[in-house]
Amino acid sequence: MAWRKQIVDWLDLRLGIRDLLEQNLTKYLLPRNINIWYTLGAVLITLFVLQFVTGILLLIYYVPDPAEAFLSVTRIMNEVPFGWLIRYLHVVGSNVIVIALLLHMLSVLFMKSYYRPRELTWLSGFLLFNLSLGLCLTGYLLPWSQLSFWATTVATDAAGAIPLIGDEVVRFLRGGPMVGDVTLGRFFALHVMGMPLLLGLLVGLHLFCVRRAGVSRPPFGPDYEPWEPQGSFRHQEHPGGIPFFPHYTTKDTAVIFFFLAALLGVVFFAPWLFLPPGALEPADPFVTPAHIKPEWYFLWAYQTLKIFPSKMLGLGVQAALMTFLALLPFIDRGPERRPARRPLFVACYVLGVLLIAGISVWGHYS
Amino acid sequence: MREANVMLLAKSCLLLLLALVAPGVLFAEETVCIQCHGGQPGRLGEPVNLWRQSVHAVNGISCHSCHGGDPTDFANAMSPARGFIGVPKGEAIPDFCGRCHVGVREDYLQSAHGEALGLGGPQCVTCHGNHAVRLATPDLINPQDCTRCHDYGRADEIKSAVVETDRMIADLEHSLEALHRVGIATKEMRGELFSLRNDFHRLFHSVDVEKVRSQTADYQQKLGKIRNRGAAIEEELARRKLWGGVVVALLVLGGILAMLLHKAYLDEERR
């Protein structure tokens, strides 16, 4: 089409659009032996966009008022055309995001992709992980169901274990002594505006770091050698690698499709997996359910608080663990990245994963 | 006028029970009645254990709900000034239970059983038990219990007349529960079903075969309407699953195609 060429020419003259596309797509080379774990970034971007779109659609009918919230959600589920689908995509999608985030983090850990000069990439990713959990927590309350009300009460109550200012933190989180309408307003604002804006900025920073430093090479295969960073900044090139487009984008697309298939499989065939019975009853501040447990991804924290003799100690252990994870790039500074040559790290890695999983299962059944 | 008042009171009681049941299973709070009697052996302690197995306990009906008194004050819990009634004697039992179960009491008093009250005939606790109170179900109509006074013939006819409808009610309850579990708003239908079930169980107490048979058809028709609405929703859910399967299959297919395309590009690059 001539008109298309004219448009591209017009833009190219002013923005260098062809060069821009070439530098970021067809001429942007990735390591030839790049593995499937690297696609999780694209999967997560897709899932975040899905959450954003479904979230906006839910906003059309959702009412952030304690007396109306549950009714509005019921209306979305039963009266709005395809409202059930949009809500399920939003609810189940958040859980799939956590799964993808965990896989992403664990694969980066295993391949030591956080190694110098990618400390900032790791830190921004770590913050993104915690921010996503914060979005899950704030979104959890919005339906104002019996489960969400009491789970939020328990979750915010945990902050009370912070020494000296614990009670003030709890009051700040709740907007008062008890979870109530102020809490709903506060969490709604955070969930709808505060955290998404922050998320967007952090995603931008994360992607900038990835693009600027270059994609790290997988530490596998016979031709791998530890890459010693130079004294000054240098973008990591991969001569002889594969083009980002169309070679790698097709791989990204494939994994994105598989993740969406899993998400929609749960949405259509087993939505109750992530909606326990307590999520189907309106909140009643005067009736405490017999068992209140957080979502599966908070169970390890919940059980850790119960294991230790004092809540402060349990909270301290969690804080220490999270701090250790955040600062890992500055602790593990050896040049070797191949897992087979780092037995101590692999042992700690496996034991750590098993420990967290074990504590979560314990928390689920206790 | 008396009829209208009784009906109004019956509906109020049903609404009260519905309100108690709607939030889910509620266990009655530990009152001073339970704390005191629960710790005693023999005749005084036995009612607590029996009550815990009762339909009353499951629905949050506690000692003071029937016997009166103050459930929060140890010293005055059993004071008549605080409304304590105590244990009713035989002939007073239907009036005792009828303070809540108004319609049931009415049907009972008009029945052959009611006419025999005080003359050796049965009253509430004869069939339902006193503290381990059992819900009105067809199982209460059985040869062992009914033949204590008369042969089982007419009782068997009544049981045959009601058992099918009772099964319909139970099936519908399970069906609506399953719909609720996947996020469908069934509160309205469950309310209708609850009301129908209570009215139907009340019908048992008239012990009139002809009346039971004639009204059963009406109940089954009403149940059929609820069942049809439930079936329509289930059909919609089945359609969703069908389309869901198509979408998932297409996504998996798309993923496979993209992966094949990826391999084709790599092979092209390698050549």
Side-chain angles (χ1 to χ4, degrees), chain B residues 180-241:
Chain B
H180 178 67
R181 191 66 196 89
V182 295
I184 305 295
T186 57
K187 187 170 183 179
E188 185 189 329
M189 284 190 285
R190 278 188 287 152
E192 287 180 30
L193 185 61
F194 184 84
S195 194
L196 268 177
R197 187 193 71 179
N198 280 356
D199 284 349
F200 186 63
H201 286 177
R202 168 183 163 182
L203 185 64
F204 289 11
H205 299 80
S206 64
V207 297
D208 183 335
V209 181
E210 284 70 36
K211 182 179 177 183
V212 167
R213 282 189 178 141
S214 65
Q215 294 202 23
T216 293
D218 186 44
Y219 279 104
Q220 291 193 356
Q221 188 188 15
K222 290 175 180 173
L223 290 171
K225 286 181 181 175
I226 299 179
R227 183 171 57 186
N228 287 342
R229 285 157 63 190
I233 295 173
E234 281 166 1
E235 193 178 309
E236 169 67 18
L237 290 180
R239 197 178 308 120
R240 289 181 188 176
K241 284 194 173 180

Side-chain angles (χ1 to χ4, degrees), chain A residues 186-238:
Chain A
R186 188 159 297 196
F187 276 36
F188 178 74
L190 283 174
H191 189 74
V192 168
M193 283 299 292
M195 288 181 170
L197 282 178
L198 207 52
L199 191 87
L201 289 174
L202 275 173
V203 168
L205 175 61
H206 194 61
L207 290 180
F208 173 78
C209 292
V210 170
R211 186 68 181 83
R212 189 67 173 143
V215 174
S216 67
R217 190 196 190 108
F220 308 112
D223 55 345
Y224 165 78
E225 281 181 20
W227 183 63
E228 203 62 39
Q230 309 304 307
S232 60
F233 171 80
R234 191 161 64 88
H235 175 85
Q236 188 173 1
E237 305 281 353
H238 300 286

Side-chain angles (χ1 to χ4, degrees), chain A residues 135-185:
Chain A
L135 275 159
C136 290
L137 186 70
T138 50
Y140 206 63
L141 177 67
L142 301 190
W144 208 250
S145 67
Q146 186 75 328
L147 176 71
S148 65
F149 179 89
W150 288 103
T152 303
T153 299
V154 170
T156 51
D157 202 52
I162 301 172
L164 297 180
I165 58 172
D167 289 339
E168 289 305 314
V169 174
V170 173
R171 289 184 67 96
F172 174 77
L173 289 174
R174 294 176 177 172
M178 305 283 292
V179 173
D181 48 354
V182 176
T183 321
L184 181 56

Side-chain angles (χ1 to χ4, degrees), chain B residues 30-198:
Chain B
E30 290 282 323
T31 60
V32 298
C33 316
I34 296 172
Q35 291 168 37
C36 188
H37 281 259
Q40 300 190 37
R43 189 175 59 88
L44 290 179
E46 187 187 358
V48 175
N49 290 328
L50 293 173
W51 166 81
R52 290 196 202 278
Q53 311 159 38
S54 69
V55 65
H56 280 169
V58 169
N59 287 283
I61 308 298
S62 191
C63 318
H64 60 284
S65 309
C66 303
H67 297 285
D70 190 335
T72 65
D73 187 343
F74 261 103
N76 297 291
M78 292 170 64
S79 164
R82 301 292 179 92
F84 183 69
I85 298 173
V87 181
K89 298 307 176 186
E91 288 186 40
I93 289 176
D95 290 334
F96 184 80
C97 302
R99 288 171 300 151
C100 289
H101 301 278
V102 179
V104 170
R105 172 180 167 278
E106 181 187 323
D107 279 2
Y108 163 80
L109 289 180
Q110 293 174 18
S111 71
H113 286 169
E115 288 168 13
L117 179 64
L119 302 174
Q123 27 79 11
C124 312
V125 304
T126 309
C127 301
H128 293 278
N130 48 13
H131 293 97
V133 178
R134 289 182 293 172
L135 190 68
T137 65
D139 293 335
L140 293 186
I141 308 172
N142 61 79
Q144 289 73 35
D145 290 330
C146 297
T147 56
R148 281 181 280 177
C149 298
H150 52 71
D151 64 85
Y152 187 59
R154 286 181 66 252
D156 191 31
E157 290 177 38
I158 292 182
K159 180 166 186 176
S160 301
V162 304
V163 70
E164 184 190 339
T165 308
D166 204 65
R167 193 189 304 113
M168 281 178 71
I169 292 173
D171 288 347
L172 262 178
E173 281 173 351
H174 288 125
S175 175
L176 294 185
E177 181 60 34
L179 289 180
H180 178 67
R181 191 66 196 89
V182 295
I184 305 295
T186 57
K187 187 170 183 179
E188 185 189 329
M189 284 190 285
R190 278 188 287 152
E192 287 180 30
L193 185 61
F194 184 84
S195 194
L196 268 177
R197 187 193 71 179
N198 280 356

Side-chain angles (χ1 to χ4, degrees), chain A residues 104-158:
Chain A
H104 190 39
M105 177 190 274
L106 289 175
S107 63
V108 168
L109 269 176
F110 193 71
M111 293 187 285
K112 200 173 173 178
S113 302
Y114 52 77
Y115 181 62
R116 194 165 75 244
R118 294 183 178 81
E119 295 93 333
L120 283 180
T121 314
W122 170 262
L123 277 174
S124 57
F126 187 79
L127 288 176
L128 272 169
F129 178 74
N130 284 275
L131 190 60
S132 298
L133 293 183
L135 275 159
C136 290
L137 186 70
T138 50
Y140 206 63
L141 177 67
L142 301 190
W144 208 250
S145 67
Q146 186 75 328
L147 176 71
S148 65
F149 179 89
W150 288 103
T152 303
T153 299
V154 170
T156 51
D157 202 52

